[in-house]
Amino acid sequence: MDKISVVIITYNEESNIARCLDSVNAIADEIVVVDSLSTDNTKSICSRYNKVRFIEHVFSGFGAQKQFAINQAQNNWVLFIDADEQLSAELVAEIEQLKTMGFKDGGYYVHRKTFYQGKLLNFCGMRREKHLRLFNRTLGSFTQVLVHESFETKLPCMNLKNSFFHYPYKNLEHHLQKINSYTTLWATNKSECGVRCTKLKAIAKCCNRLFAILFIKLAILDGMAGVIWAIMGAYYTFLKYAKLAELSDK
């Protein structure tokens, strides 16, 4: 039977981490939590779980932090999950079966279902959302970018049948805080790579994004939660390009 290291990075995740750890505890042979010096109860909550190895490490960008985290794993096969995510019972059973049979190739994509404003988003472009989360850490690496990082491997990867759940925002204030943080990281990274932008382009990108999410990705069918998701998505797009335009002017 193959062994799995579950790997999580955290920062002030006291409202999420227990739900996340509960969902992975049955299939994990170890759980590695790399924490960016949380100031809340994240560490004390993690200490309740016998399988957790809690490591404090100064945050150095999402790509670098996640690569550092998987490097701490004792097993080659890693299940990477964010603190605001939760495995479904069906996914746990599917991974347990794979452990018994033995993993194959470079990794496995897992479908993700997102909850927003208390509602499961069935549209908004979320239906086919999948991420490479179960992989052999020795056969690839995380992209070294500040935000929107991913694990990359040249080996073929398969799709798992079942899904995990995502609870990305506590409320609108939390959503706005994340938008502000992520757009700054994105704009900084692009600017350092020599990418430039204008304010007019930022406005155009925003309008296109709003139309695409509402009417092409059918967010409007998810009701008010979908409409708010679309507006916030358009604002995110505007802000990241507007910040890049501001850096381009310097």
Side-chain angles (χ1 to χ4, degrees):
M1 178 183 287
D2 285 328
K3 290 187 176 182
I4 293 179
S5 294
V6 173
V7 177
I8 309 165
I9 65 170
T10 57
Y11 177 68
N12 288 349
E13 292 287 356
E14 64 180 7
S15 62
N16 291 315
I17 191 62
R19 178 181 61 211
C20 177
L21 292 173
D22 287 341
S23 76
V24 302
N25 196 55
I27 57 169
D29 294 285
E30 69 160 348
I31 303 173
V32 178
V33 176
V34 173
D35 183 76
S36 304
L37 309 181
S38 290
T39 57
D40 65 356
N41 292 317
T42 298
K43 184 175 183 178
S44 63
I45 294 171
C46 288
S47 68
R48 304 172 192 166
Y49 294 80
N50 294 331
K51 294 180 181 179
V52 169
R53 186 153 49 92
F54 193 87
I55 301 168
E56 293 180 312
H57 186 261
V58 175
F59 185 75
S60 52
F62 285 102
Q65 191 78 347
K66 289 183 178 182
Q67 186 62 47
F68 173 84
I70 66 171
N71 288 346
Q72 311 313 305
Q74 295 177 350
N75 303 302
N76 287 340
W77 278 94
V78 163
L79 173 66
F80 192 93
I81 184 170
D82 288 328
D84 59 4
E85 296 171 341
Q86 172 189 13
L87 302 191
S88 66
E90 294 80 8
L91 181 57
V92 169
E94 185 177 7
I95 294 175
E96 187 64 56
Q97 186 177 24
L98 283 173
K99 282 185 68 178
T100 302
M101 297 169 58
F103 298 117
K104 298 178 181 178
D105 298 322
Y108 298 84
Y109 286 98
V110 190
H111 290 277
R112 184 167 75 174
K113 295 182 177 180
T114 296
F115 286 84
Y116 186 67
Q117 299 274 303
K119 177 181 174 62
L120 173 64
L121 297 179
N122 291 308
F123 297 94
C124 299
M126 299 297 182
R127 273 184 166 180
R128 295 184 177 87
E129 186 184 18
K130 63 181 182 180
H131 300 271
L132 184 58
R133 291 302 187 86
L134 179 58
F135 49 79
N136 187 323
R137 67 185 179 89
T138 67
L139 301 176
S141 62
F142 273 99
T143 52
Q144 295 301 293
V145 294
L146 294 177
V147 68
H148 300 317
E149 70 300 326
S150 60
F151 186 84
E152 293 185 347
T153 178
K154 293 182 179 179
L155 292 180
C157 298
M158 303 173 67
N159 294 321
L160 296 185
K161 295 178 181 178
N162 295 292
S163 306
F164 65 103
F165 305 126
H166 188 208
Y167 305 88
Y169 310 113
K170 304 169 190 174
N171 47 43
L172 287 176
E173 181 180 0
H174 184 223
H175 195 169
L176 287 168
Q177 288 172 354
K178 278 196 171 184
I179 286 175
N180 190 45
S181 175
Y182 286 9
T183 53
T184 296
L185 291 172
W186 183 91
T188 301
N189 186 68
K190 290 296 182 181
S191 180
E192 290 175 350
C193 292
V195 179
R196 300 180 65 81
C197 183
T198 65
K199 293 180 174 65
L200 183 61
K201 182 178 180 179
I203 295 171
K205 288 277 190 180
C206 172
C207 294
N208 289 339
R209 186 65 175 162
L210 180 61
F211 180 85
I213 300 176
L214 273 177
F215 301 113
I216 297 178
K217 297 183 178 181
L218 299 176
I220 197 167
L221 296 182
D222 276 321
M224 188 56 66
V227 172
I228 295 172
W229 180 271
I231 292 170
M232 297 293 269
Y235 176 63
Y236 173 88
T237 298
F238 167 75
L239 203 57
K240 71 179 186 179
Y241 282 103
K243 288 181 179 181
L244 179 57
E246 192 173 65
L247 291 172
S248 299
D249 291 339
K250 292 183 178 179

